[in-house]
Amino acid sequence: MIGRDGIHASTSRYAYHALDACLGPMSRWEDGAWQAERAQLQASWPAAAVTVEPVLATVARLRSDLSADAERPGHRAFLVAPLPEQGCAQVVSIFDQPGQATGTGTAYRVWRLTGGRWALIRSTPRT
């Protein structure tokens, strides 16, 4: 489902396909172009993990992480949002915790870099 805030995906597979489609029209970034964004995200997500690998390795890591999120208790959906001003797309795992307000879990941002690589940054899941 497409909403004002992005694409809502019910499964990790749909989330990945939506993310890939969002990244498709964005131009590839030079390695240095996303460094400021990465630094800012690491400041807000102190335990964030950054990965810069060949596309297939990064895709495998992301798909594995999304599948693991989908298996966590309380997982409801994924929200995929293109962020063209940052040259990336973001996926957020959305969880409902019993007796609590709706919250978010892990967030991921992905950039397509020149040279056939992706850059991936993952936040720490909220417990």
Side-chain angles (χ1 to χ4, degrees):
M1 179 177 81
I2 298 174
R4 286 186 290 163
D5 51 354
I7 301 164
H8 296 262
S10 57
T11 68
S12 60
R13 182 175 177 215
Y14 291 141
Y16 170 74
H17 288 302
L19 174 78
D20 191 42
C22 289
L23 286 170
M26 292 185 198
S27 61
R28 294 179 185 268
W29 276 47
E30 296 292 333
D31 283 350
W34 64 283
Q35 298 298 331
E37 172 79 4
R38 182 183 87 168
Q40 182 181 13
L41 286 172
Q42 284 191 292
S44 62
W45 300 338
V50 178
T51 306
V52 180
E53 295 179 316
V55 172
L56 293 179
T58 305
V59 167
R61 180 184 302 269
L62 177 62
R63 291 185 78 160
S64 173
D65 287 351
L66 293 176
S67 293
D69 280 356
E71 298 297 319
R72 286 178 54 206
H75 187 265
R76 194 177 87 208
F78 296 95
L79 175 64
V80 182
L83 302 171
E85 61 281 356
Q86 284 100 2
C88 66
Q90 178 168 288
V91 180
V92 177
S93 296
I94 301 172
F95 292 86
D96 284 336
Q97 299 298 330
Q100 297 179 9
T102 299
T104 58
T106 311
Y108 307 86
R109 284 197 185 176
V110 182
W111 293 259
R112 284 188 199 269
L113 302 178
T114 56
R117 291 177 297 143
W118 278 16
L120 166 68
I121 185 167
R122 301 180 311 276
S123 72
T124 303
R126 283 208 303 199
T127 56

